[in-house]
Amino acid sequence: MPEQKSSNNLPPIDLTTDDNQQQQQQQQHQQQKPDQKNTISNKEESVSNESQQCNLRKEKKKQIKWLKETPAQQRERFIRQLRAELTVKASDGGRGGGVARQPFKRGGSGINGIGSSCSRDRASREADHRSTVNYSVDENPERGNWSGRLDFVLSCLGYAVGLGNFWRFPYLCFSNGGGAFLIPYAILLLLCGIPVFLLDLSLGQFTSEGPATCWEFAPIFTGLGYSMVFLSTTVSTYYNIIISISIYYTFASMTSTLPWNNCSHHWNTNSCTDRLPFVSCGEGQPQPNGTCYNGTIFLGIYNESLFQKTTGLRRILASEEYFNREVLKVSGDINKFGSPDWKLVMCLLLSWIVIFLSMIRGIKSSGKVVYFTALFPYVILLIFFIRGVTLENAIEGIRFYIVPDFSALGKARVWKDAAGQIFFSLSCSWGGLMSLSSYNRFHNNVIRDTFFVTSANCLTSVFAGFVIFSFIGHLAGNLRVPVSDVTRSEFGLAFIVYPEVMNLLPGSNYWSILFFIMIFSLGIDSQFGLVETLITALCDKFFVLRRHRLPLIGAVCFVMFLLGLPFTCSGGLYLMNIFDRYLSGWIVLLVGFMECILVGWVYGRPGFGKFHRFTEDIALMMRQSISPVWRYMWQYVTPALILFTLLASVADLGRTEYTKGKGDYYPIWADALGWLLSVIPLLIIVGTGISRLLMEPVGISWWRRLRDLSIPTYTWGPAIPRYRLLMAPYLEKLGVLKYFYLDPKRNIKFIDVFPIESLNNMDE
């Protein structure tokens, strides 16, 4: 019989397991879970690594395959990639960020599938507007884009709102009818300032190009962009001196007593106010020349107007002597030029170091710096406004500023000054606005930004006038002179009148530090735009420099520092006046006039009925039609106003004076230098046009050359192919679609990507 196994040989089963044993088993089970999770994660990592390695191997094989391609095969691959990129999937619903990218067929109404933004349905446009823009990813990786929604707006605001808003506008306002000056100012803002501002922003944003390369819609006029770069570069060399002076004053204010507080310093003269005090002359003997003596002891002046008339002398503020004799060490005339002052040189070097560090990553870094430099001046202006209106006699200065004299509206000079101030305060036609907007995304609302920046700029000018004249009224009351006698224009307002006012305030050194930091902030923003104009022009013209942007910025800042050294000499102030007078005058107006003519009449030439190319280009960016008013402004109203201002400015030009109205003129060579500087941009425009004519193929008539160089090239348009595609509907109507390059960098035409059945009826 087989042997049976006894049950006693089996291991005993304990049916009386207690709670402690159950807890131990649960703990052991829980300890095993992390080990299992770690095992699973390790497996996942290994799978992930294997997947990455597999993808890398595939990519490497693909690159090896591409290296073996012939140029024809490579071009065909690029065409396939571009076609795949621009072809909409069925699930996309036909939008694709404002570009309807379907296969193209010719139909009775033109090319079907290319959804011109003007004809898109309203729901589709609203859906696009609601879509979130990812600012962490550049739309144009090769060039870069602004990394924040407000970066561009604040950069434009900082570039436009500069020192001219702070000292030039209030001076023009009270000298041209007070509050009545605001009437022509507002009218010309609408008719002249806003159209040119929009033109500059739109041109840069549409092409994603700076001023040096965005003029291919009329190649013969590319010199216009080079002239803008020249103007911005030249102005930035002396504009930074003003920033350097504000740094100088900031450090000088870090003392318990301001150095211009009294007339006891070695740089003060006997004409300083403390040494010629006002007296009532009750106990002395009044003299016929307005002075008062007690025997042989000089007591002071009892009648300043009589003193000035009889002696030809005037009382000089301590702040004025500090500015001229200590800070700038101004010589007697421009012929005594002197050598650079080491203190100003150090401040100039520091200002360029700040600019370099702020622009070290291009618009990515400067776009963040402007959050402080563009907004901080408004905080300080508000603080100064609250303090200013509470001062004694402040109302006298404000009344002098705003009381209207409507009879001034009948003078041509008032309208000329208003147009000039609008044009210059908005920084139009310098190239900076084009450079800044060239880093925008294609569908940025450029019209909204235009109205915001121009309105904020002009309101800032008006508000700054209230701040300034509240302090001037207080100073006039303390000096016992009319408000007009303490008012200065240009540099005098910022570095003479205001420092003198600081002496009258408790805690004057703290107020002075705040004020000059504000001046620094106002100037540095504008300097960003001027330097960026040159950097953008170089990078657009020489693509290899984009990979070496940091050394380029360093080299530009260093060269500009060297070019600014002459302005730190004893005759530097006179040289600065020459540069400012001739470079910011008629030549800038001429550039603005040519802009309007080119966009209004050359690029948007008549003959197509209501169709105007530039307004259509803006409509493509805006995703909707824009008012035809803009077209008529660029064609008629704005150039007429600029031409009037230009002619009036040229007629008003005379020899430069050391003191306005005194007849003490600069030497002839100084004015000749100024005229040479202002003519150089004109020579650049003419010379570039002639060279382009001569570069045309031999055998073509001059009239044909001129005509061909006055129409857009087939590579003209947006930088990104999917946005270039938006131009197809109106290019078909113009009969040039078959010549249009969809990807100019790879030499790919529209018909290479989307062959059209019949293009024979298109006119060449």
Side-chain angles (χ1 to χ4, degrees):
M1 293 180 61
E3 184 179 356
Q4 295 181 356
K5 295 182 180 181
S6 171
S7 62
N8 294 331
N9 296 331
L10 298 173
I13 300 175
D14 188 1
L15 300 175
T16 61
T17 304
D18 56 8
D19 295 339
N20 293 332
Q21 291 177 339
Q22 292 180 0
Q23 292 177 0
Q24 291 176 0
Q25 291 176 0
Q26 291 176 359
Q27 291 176 359
Q28 293 176 358
H29 182 65
Q30 291 175 357
Q31 290 175 359
Q32 291 175 356
K33 285 184 177 180
D35 295 337
Q36 294 174 356
K37 291 181 179 179
N38 292 333
T39 304
I40 294 172
S41 63
N42 291 334
K43 290 181 179 180
E44 290 177 348
E45 289 179 2
S46 63
V47 172
S48 176
N49 292 333
E50 291 177 0
S51 177
Q52 291 178 0
Q53 292 176 2
C54 182
N55 291 334
L56 289 174
R57 286 194 296 269
K58 290 181 180 179
E59 188 67 26
K60 191 173 182 180
K61 289 181 180 179
K62 190 182 296 184
Q63 292 176 358
I64 294 174
K65 181 181 177 182
W66 291 348
L67 290 174
K68 297 179 180 179
E69 290 179 339
T70 64
Q73 291 173 333
Q74 188 180 46
R75 186 173 184 275
E76 185 61 32
R77 176 168 56 82
F78 288 153
I79 291 174
R80 289 197 304 268
Q81 291 176 350
L82 191 57
R83 184 183 295 118
E85 177 187 347
L86 299 179
T87 301
V88 152
K89 296 180 180 179
S91 59
D92 190 18
R95 285 197 299 272
V99 185
R101 297 165 293 190
Q102 301 173 359
F104 299 96
K105 301 177 183 178
R106 287 186 62 82
S109 59
I111 297 179
N112 298 324
I114 306 180
S116 174
S117 61
C118 301
S119 60
R120 294 177 58 204
D121 57 280
R122 182 176 180 180
S124 178
R125 289 200 304 268
E126 291 177 352
D128 286 335
H129 282 295
R130 289 194 299 268
S131 61
T132 304
V133 178
N134 184 5
Y135 285 95
S136 62
V137 179
D138 287 340
E139 183 180 73
N140 189 345
E142 182 180 351
R143 182 181 181 81
N145 297 104
W146 296 101
S147 56
R149 188 178 298 276
L150 295 177
D151 291 16
F152 167 69
V153 175
L154 292 180
S155 295
C156 276
L157 184 63
Y159 176 63
V161 177
L163 298 172
N165 300 73
F166 185 77
W167 61 39
R168 192 168 187 264
F169 174 81
Y171 179 79
L172 290 176
C173 197
F174 84 80
S175 61
N176 287 287
F181 182 74
L182 297 178
I183 297 175
Y185 186 74
I187 293 174
L188 292 168
L189 169 65
L190 294 174
L191 301 182
C192 184
I194 293 178
V196 179
F197 197 93
L198 177 62
L199 189 156
D200 283 356
L201 290 190
S202 300
L203 194 57
Q205 180 173 310
F206 183 75
T207 60
S208 295
E209 299 281 355
T213 52
C214 69
W215 300 96
E216 288 301 314
F217 65 80
I220 196 173
F221 293 104
T222 51
L224 191 64
Y226 298 139
S227 67
M228 291 180 176
V229 176
F230 172 80
L231 287 170
S232 294
T233 303
T234 310
V235 168
S236 65
T237 58
Y238 76 84
Y239 192 83
N240 214 27
I241 295 296
I242 304 174
I243 302 174
S244 306
I245 296 174
S246 68
I247 295 175
Y248 189 108
Y249 270 85
T250 302
F251 285 120
S253 302
M254 296 179 181
T255 57
S256 57
T257 303
L258 294 175
W260 57 86
N261 185 53
N262 53 63
C263 298
S264 61
H265 301 283
H266 65 85
W267 58 77
N268 293 120
T269 65
N270 291 328
S271 297
C272 193
T273 50
D274 288 357
R275 300 181 183 184
L276 294 175
F278 275 120
V279 294
S280 60
C281 205
E283 299 178 356
Q285 295 84 37
Q287 303 297 317
N289 61 358
T291 59
C292 181
Y293 282 83
N294 186 2
T296 59
I297 300 174
F298 175 73
L299 298 180
I301 297 175
Y302 71 90
N303 190 322
E304 184 173 13
S305 60
L306 181 61
F307 175 76
Q308 290 182 1
K309 183 177 181 180
T310 55
T311 65
L313 303 175
R314 67 180 181 89
R315 299 171 74 239
I316 302 176
L317 296 173
S319 59
E320 184 174 353
E321 291 197 337
Y322 178 76
F323 176 69
N324 290 323
R325 298 175 60 84
E326 173 61 13
V327 178
L328 298 182
K329 297 180 176 60
V330 179
S331 60
D333 60 73
I334 194 172
N335 289 315
K336 301 175 182 177
F337 205 77
S339 58
D341 179 71
W342 71 270
K343 294 180 181 179
L344 277 180
V345 171
M346 290 297 102
C347 291
L348 179 64
L349 178 62
L350 179 58
S351 64
W352 279 114
I353 290 175
V354 172
I355 292 170
F356 170 74
L357 294 176
S358 300
M359 301 182 66
I360 197 168
R361 293 182 59 242
I363 60 169
K364 302 294 185 183
S365 55
S366 63
K368 301 306 177 186
V369 174
V370 294
Y371 278 82
F372 171 77
T373 56
L375 298 177
F376 178 74
Y378 290 97
V379 177
I380 302 302
L381 275 176
L382 181 60
I383 294 174
F384 273 104
F385 175 75
I386 297 173
R387 185 68 184 94
V389 296
T390 59
L391 294 173
E392 185 181 1
N393 294 321
I395 190 64
E396 296 300 323
I398 294 175
R399 183 181 295 113
F400 187 83
Y401 170 56
I402 64 172
V403 170
D405 178 14
F406 292 107
S407 62
L409 296 179
K411 301 177 182 178
R413 179 184 175 184
V414 175
W415 292 85
K416 184 207 77 171
D417 287 347
Q421 175 61 15
I422 284 291
F423 202 83
F424 300 131
S425 68
L426 293 176
S427 302
C428 299
S429 300
W430 292 91
L433 295 174
M434 294 178 185
S435 299
L436 295 175
S437 64
S438 68
Y439 298 101
N440 273 341
R441 284 163 170 77
F442 185 78
H443 286 304
N444 176 66
N445 192 330
V446 68
I447 296 180
R448 175 199 61 200
D449 293 345
T450 295
F451 278 103
F452 175 79
V453 175
T454 53
S455 300
N457 175 76
C458 295
L459 290 175
T460 301
S461 298
V462 176
F463 182 65
F466 282 98
V467 177
I468 289 168
F469 277 92
S470 63
F471 282 93
I472 288 179
H474 178 64
L475 178 61
N478 280 270
L479 295 178
R480 301 176 186 177
V481 295
V483 174
S484 58
D485 288 351
V486 296
T487 301
R488 300 283 193 278
S489 63
E490 304 300 329
F491 301 110
L493 193 58
F495 298 113
I496 296 176
V497 175
Y498 246 96
E500 188 68 25
V501 173
M502 298 298 110
N503 291 329
L504 307 176
L505 302 178
S508 57
N509 54 331
Y510 299 108
W511 289 106
S512 182
I513 291 172
L514 282 178
F515 174 76
F516 288 110
I517 290 177
M518 180 188 70
I519 294 292
F520 173 82
S521 299
L522 286 170
I524 203 74
D525 287 336
S526 299
Q527 190 70 352
F528 286 159
L530 293 172
V531 176
E532 186 61 50
T533 303
L534 176 59
I535 298 293
T536 300
L538 291 174
C539 290
D540 288 343
K541 199 66 181 176
F542 308 101
F543 295 120
V544 67
L545 293 178
R546 292 181 179 178
R547 298 196 299 269
H548 308 284
R549 191 179 180 92
L550 180 59
L552 175 63
I553 295 174
V556 167
C557 290
F558 179 70
V559 172
M560 302 286 268
F561 163 73
L562 296 179
L563 293 175
L565 290 177
F567 299 100
T568 64
C569 299
S570 299
L573 180 63
Y574 305 125
L575 185 63
M576 196 184 309
N577 288 333
I578 289 290
F579 272 62
D580 186 64
R581 185 168 188 257
Y582 285 94
L583 287 176
S584 61
W586 66 271
I587 185 61
V588 182
L589 291 169
L590 178 62
V591 170
F593 175 77
M594 292 184 66
E595 277 190 89
C596 293
I597 296 300
L598 288 179
V599 168
W601 293 98
V602 179
Y603 179 56
R605 62 187 51 171
F608 300 116
K610 296 182 178 180
F611 178 78
H612 187 264
R613 282 194 66 165
F614 194 63
T615 54
E616 178 68 15
D617 292 339
I618 298 177
L620 296 179
M621 295 189 293
M622 294 291 297
R623 300 186 176 102
Q624 59 183 359
S625 302
I626 68 169
S627 173
V629 171
W630 296 110
R631 168 186 180 177
Y632 300 118
M633 296 294 287
W634 292 320
Q635 287 183 330
Y636 302 104
V637 181
T638 302
L641 291 173
I642 295 178
L643 183 61
F644 163 75
T645 309
L646 171 62
L647 296 177
S649 298
V650 173
D652 197 37
L653 275 177
R655 293 187 60 185
T656 309
E657 297 177 280
Y658 288 105
T659 305
K660 190 173 182 179
K662 292 292 185 67
D664 47 348
Y665 298 109
Y666 279 43
I668 295 177
W669 68 263
D671 282 311
L673 174 63
W675 277 106
L676 176 62
L677 288 171
S678 60
V679 169
I680 287 177
L682 185 60
L683 295 177
I684 292 174
I685 297 172
V686 176
T688 305
I690 294 175
S691 66
R692 292 298 293 262
L693 284 172
L694 296 175
M695 290 169 61
E696 287 294 290
V698 180
I700 300 178
S701 66
W702 291 102
W703 173 251
R704 175 69 182 271
R705 296 184 188 190
L706 181 62
R707 188 194 66 178
D708 291 346
L709 290 173
S710 299
I711 60 176
T713 62
Y714 298 125
T715 59
W716 155 259
I720 302 176
R722 70 175 181 270
Y723 296 134
R724 295 179 66 82
L725 194 60
L726 293 174
M727 300 172 65
Y730 77 69
L731 290 178
E732 183 198 19
K733 296 177 182 178
L734 297 178
V736 296
L737 184 57
K738 66 178 179 180
Y739 308 106
F740 180 64
Y741 283 86
L742 201 55
D743 191 345
K745 294 180 181 178
R746 294 177 176 175
N747 202 29
I748 299 175
K749 292 185 177 181
F750 176 86
I751 58 176
D752 294 331
V753 182
F754 301 106
I756 303 176
E757 297 173 1
S758 175
L759 291 172
N760 295 329
N761 61 337
M762 290 189 176
D763 296 330
E764 182 175 352

